[in-house]
């Protein structure tokens, strides 16, 4: 996803759209998207939402629109403050005074024009028809993201900066699903695909976002410490750590980084995986970038992805190599911290596992449920608890060859349950491998490995929750 192509549409008229690069929660929503919900989204529902009333409920004041536009254009917060003051003075000088409308939930909508089937530009026009001209904000502000999981994660990452600087309240986020997988949208009741009857559905999305309840989502920070070398094709999900961050990570881990060492960090909301599935994703992304005409929507993307996986040895390992030789156990050691425990515990990796997935949500790979709905006696036997996206725990499972993964994705069998943890550490050494493949919320990269030195991937929960609008409420 090109971050520079995301657009923010504020609740206002045409001059308000700019290009930009850049309490206990209620019961969590159901993670499964029913067939009825998909049919319901195809256009009939939403016609009973009055357009004028909807515009009144999601208004945004002129001064705020101008402030955001100026701040983004100048890349300077002070420019936004000045523009807001000028707009207020202009309104008062013209005898208009402050906006007198009763604002329910002023709305900011981010649209990724490249997500899924490229519906973004049409959606942006429709949003301008529905969203109102005048507004007043802050406490009731709500964010809607029209895009896939990557776009949603990008916006949530930006909102995290408000938590870090203690600029609360942080507005909650809802989703209009435009992507291929849309697992975040599925997990919070917004559906798994963009409806055919999308014009009326957009009204329903906005109307629902105004009054729906807010739930919490855990987010997880991954820190990668390499003894030497660099990641050459850095995904959007990762950033090279600043010296101050490196020092903090070194203190936390109890080991110093050498001069040749490099350190990266990133936040994910759905999953991080290492192994064959990430290798397939890496190849798919490169193929799509080289031949963008092949990627004309979610269905085409999935067909290409499935075909590409057959060429990577995911289904058939050459007879000259045993599947065990491709097992991650040859390069990876897994350590976890259990809930309310400060000590690392090593977990044995099954020899047949070729892909290991760290999962935060119930939904994975376009609405599949590889962890499954586990029975109480099985949970007790394994020492697990029922999984939720805001419980401070993350699930770890393994996939064997492609046939095993296919049966798991078809929900005929469950994945290989490995552990449930409050923190995770992977230690990787290359041996005969000079690289591994990793992906984080759908963004894959090639991870260099060194034969006799360890590359560490450590995963810890971010100390504050993301706030999500519950589409099921």
């Amino acid at each position: 996803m090109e971050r520079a192509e995301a657009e923010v549409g504020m609740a206002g008229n045409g001059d308000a759209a700019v290009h930009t690069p850049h309490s206990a929660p209620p019961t969590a929503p159901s993670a499964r998207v029913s067939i009825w919900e998909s049919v319901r989204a195809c256009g009939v529902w939403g016609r009973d939402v009055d357009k004028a009333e909807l515009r009144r409920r999601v208004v945004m004041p002129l001064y705020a629109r101008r402030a955001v536009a100026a701040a983004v254009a100048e890349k300077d917060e002070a420019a936004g403050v000045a523009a807001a003051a000028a707009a207020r003075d202009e309104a008062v000088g013209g005898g208009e005074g402050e906006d007198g409308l009763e604002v329910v939930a002023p709305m900011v909508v981010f649209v990724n024009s490249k997500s899924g089937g490229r519906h973004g530009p049409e959606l942006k026009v429709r949003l301008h028809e529905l969203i109102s001209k005048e507004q007043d904000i802050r406490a009731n502000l709500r964010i809607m993201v029209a895009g896939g999981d990557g776009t949603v994660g990008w916006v949530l990452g930006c909102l995290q900066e408000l938590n870090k600087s203690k600029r609360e309240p942080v507005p909650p986020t809802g989703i209009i699903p435009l992507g291929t997988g849309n697992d975040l949208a599925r997990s919070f009741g917004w559906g798994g695909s963009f409806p055919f009857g999308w014009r009326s559905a957009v009204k329903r999305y906005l109307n629902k976002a105004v009054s729906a309840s807010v739930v919490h989502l855990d987010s997880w920070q991954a820190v990668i410490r390499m003894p030497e070398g660099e990641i050459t094709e850095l995904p959007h999900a990762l950033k090279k750590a600043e010296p101050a961050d490196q020092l903090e990570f070194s203190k936390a881990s109890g080991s110093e980084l050498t001069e040749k060492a490099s350190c990266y960090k990133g936040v994910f909301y759905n999953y991080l995986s290492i192994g064959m599935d990430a290798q397939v994703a890496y190849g798919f992304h490169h193929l799509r970038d080289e031949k963008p005409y092949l990627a004309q929507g979610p269905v085409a993307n999935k067909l290409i992805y499935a075909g590409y996986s057959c060429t990577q040895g995911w289904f058939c390992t050459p007879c000259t190599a045993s599947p065990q030789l491709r097992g991650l156990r040859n390069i990876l050691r897994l350590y976890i911290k259990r809930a309310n425990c400060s000590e690392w515990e090593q977990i044995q990796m099954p020899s047949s596992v070729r892909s290991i997935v760290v999962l935060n949500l119930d939904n994975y790979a376009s609405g599949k449920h590889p962890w499954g709905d586990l029975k109480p006696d099985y949970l007790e036997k394994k020492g697990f608890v029922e999984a939720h996206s805001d419980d401070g725990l993350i699930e770890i499972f393994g996939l064997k060859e492609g046939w095993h993964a296919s049966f798991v994705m078809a929900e005929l069998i469950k994945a290989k349950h490995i552990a449930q943890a409050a923190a995770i550490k992977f230690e990787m050494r290359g041996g005969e491998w000079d690289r591994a493949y990793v992906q984080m919320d759908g963004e894959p990269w090639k991870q260099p490995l060194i034969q006799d030195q360890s590359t560490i991937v450590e995963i810890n929960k971010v100390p504050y929750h993301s706030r999500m609008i519950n589409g099921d409420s």
Side-chain angles (χ1 to χ4, degrees):
M1 181 192 67
E2 293 295 328
R3 294 296 188 266
E5 292 298 326
E7 300 170 7
V8 51
M10 289 168 289
N13 53 17
D15 67 353
V18 297
H19 294 274
T20 174
H22 109 291
S23 58
T27 303
S30 168
R32 298 181 183 270
V33 180
S34 67
I35 295 175
W36 168 241
E37 180 66 21
S38 300
V39 173
R40 190 173 74 168
C42 288
V44 176
W45 291 67
R47 291 180 183 174
D48 57 343
V49 178
D50 182 75
K51 182 190 294 188
E53 173 64 11
L54 178 62
R55 286 166 63 93
R56 185 194 69 77
R57 299 177 77 197
V58 297
V59 290
M60 166 121 14
L62 177 63
Y63 79 85
R65 300 202 309 272
R66 291 187 177 176
V68 174
V72 173
E74 300 295 330
K75 297 182 180 180
D76 181 9
E77 184 178 343
V81 174
R88 284 183 179 276
D89 291 343
E90 178 183 326
V92 173
E96 299 174 16
E98 296 292 335
D99 296 329
L101 294 174
E102 180 185 355
V103 180
V104 178
M107 197 80 64
V108 177
V109 182
F110 291 82
V111 182
N112 182 2
S113 59
K114 288 191 174 182
S115 282
R118 308 312 202 257
H119 289 293
E122 291 178 317
L123 176 61
K124 182 184 171 190
V125 172
R126 178 59 171 164
L127 288 167
H128 278 310
E129 293 175 3
L130 296 174
I131 289 180
S132 152
K133 293 184 179 179
E134 301 300 333
Q135 291 199 25
D136 218 346
I137 347 176
R138 187 61 177 170
N140 295 322
L141 180 66
R142 295 197 164 200
I143 305 291
M144 287 296 287
V145 181
D149 290 339
T151 312
V152 178
W154 171 58
V155 173
L156 293 177
C158 294
L159 292 174
Q160 281 188 355
E161 298 301 317
L162 297 177
N163 278 308
K164 292 178 182 177
S165 57
K166 301 188 183 303
R167 298 173 63 180
E168 298 176 337
V170 177
T173 301
I175 306 169
I176 299 175
L178 288 188
T180 302
N182 299 312
D183 287 312
L184 277 163
R186 296 172 197 270
S187 296
F188 291 97
W190 295 99
S193 61
F194 198 48
F196 293 112
W198 61 273
R199 291 182 64 84
S200 57
V202 168
K203 288 197 295 183
R204 189 168 58 85
Y205 283 127
L206 295 180
N207 189 60
K208 185 189 293 187
V210 170
S211 56
S213 61
V214 175
V215 294
H216 288 165
L217 168 66
D218 289 338
S219 50
W220 298 83
Q221 179 173 260
V223 175
I224 301 173
R225 302 196 301 274
M226 300 169 55
E228 60 181 68
E230 294 187 343
I231 300 173
T232 54
E233 299 175 88
L234 199 64
H236 293 294
L238 281 184
K239 294 181 180 178
K240 196 160 188 178
E242 299 294 333
D245 290 331
Q246 294 189 29
L247 181 61
E248 180 182 341
F249 298 149
S250 295
K251 288 181 178 179
S253 64
S255 60
E256 292 187 10
L257 292 175
T258 65
E259 291 184 1
K260 293 183 179 181
S262 55
C263 187
Y264 299 86
K265 65 176 183 175
V267 173
F268 67 94
Y269 302 88
N270 190 356
Y271 69 93
L272 179 146
S273 70
I274 302 173
M276 182 56 76
D277 72 318
Q279 180 177 345
V280 172
Y282 180 85
F284 166 75
H285 276 68
H286 276 259
L287 178 66
R288 187 174 61 177
D289 290 343
E290 293 169 4
K291 300 178 180 179
Y293 56 86
L294 294 176
Q296 294 300 316
V299 175
N301 285 348
K302 290 172 184 176
L303 290 174
I304 296 168
Y305 196 98
Y308 194 85
S309 66
C310 295
T311 70
Q312 298 298 299
W314 188 216
F315 283 89
C316 298
T317 302
C319 59
T320 55
S322 166
Q324 280 72 25
L325 295 179
R326 291 189 167 199
L328 287 178
R329 192 170 70 172
N330 296 297
I331 64 164
L332 185 146
R333 291 180 181 175
L334 168 64
Y335 302 86
I336 68 168
K337 288 181 181 178
R338 299 191 185 273
N340 304 314
C341 183
S342 60
E343 299 296 324
W344 290 109
E345 173 188 345
Q346 184 172 358
I347 302 295
Q348 292 301 316
M349 284 281 294
S351 61
S352 59
V353 166
R354 295 175 62 189
S355 178
I356 188 166
V357 182
V358 177
L359 185 64
N360 186 40
L361 301 177
D362 182 48
N363 284 284
Y364 170 78
S366 301
K368 306 304 185 295
H369 310 280
W371 187 257
D373 295 322
L374 307 183
K375 295 181 179 179
D377 56 343
Y378 181 82
L379 291 172
E380 184 177 358
K381 176 183 175 182
K382 298 288 287 187
F384 297 159
V385 296
E386 187 176 350
H388 296 284
S389 61
D390 61 350
D391 59 5
L393 296 174
I394 198 160
E395 287 65 53
I396 309 168
F397 66 86
L399 300 173
K400 302 175 185 179
E401 70 287 333
W403 302 109
H404 175 253
S406 297
F407 287 132
V408 170
M409 294 302 115
E411 301 187 17
L412 298 175
I413 60 175
K414 294 181 176 62
K416 183 71 175 178
H417 298 131
I418 296 176
Q420 197 174 44
I424 299 170
K425 181 169 66 176
F426 294 113
E427 181 181 353
M428 295 188 288
R429 289 197 181 195
E432 296 182 2
W433 302 24
D434 61 359
R435 64 187 180 275
Y437 290 88
V438 186
Q439 65 171 332
M440 194 160 69
D441 280 355
E443 293 194 64
W445 70 91
K446 193 185 295 183
Q447 178 63 51
L449 298 180
I450 299 175
Q451 182 175 2
D452 56 354
Q453 297 184 68
S454 295
T455 294
I456 304 296
V457 179
E458 189 168 329
I459 300 170
N460 289 280
K461 182 180 173 297
V462 174
Y464 34 76
H465 289 99
S466 293
R467 303 178 69 225
M468 306 299 296
I469 302 174
N470 181 1
D472 273 341
S473 61

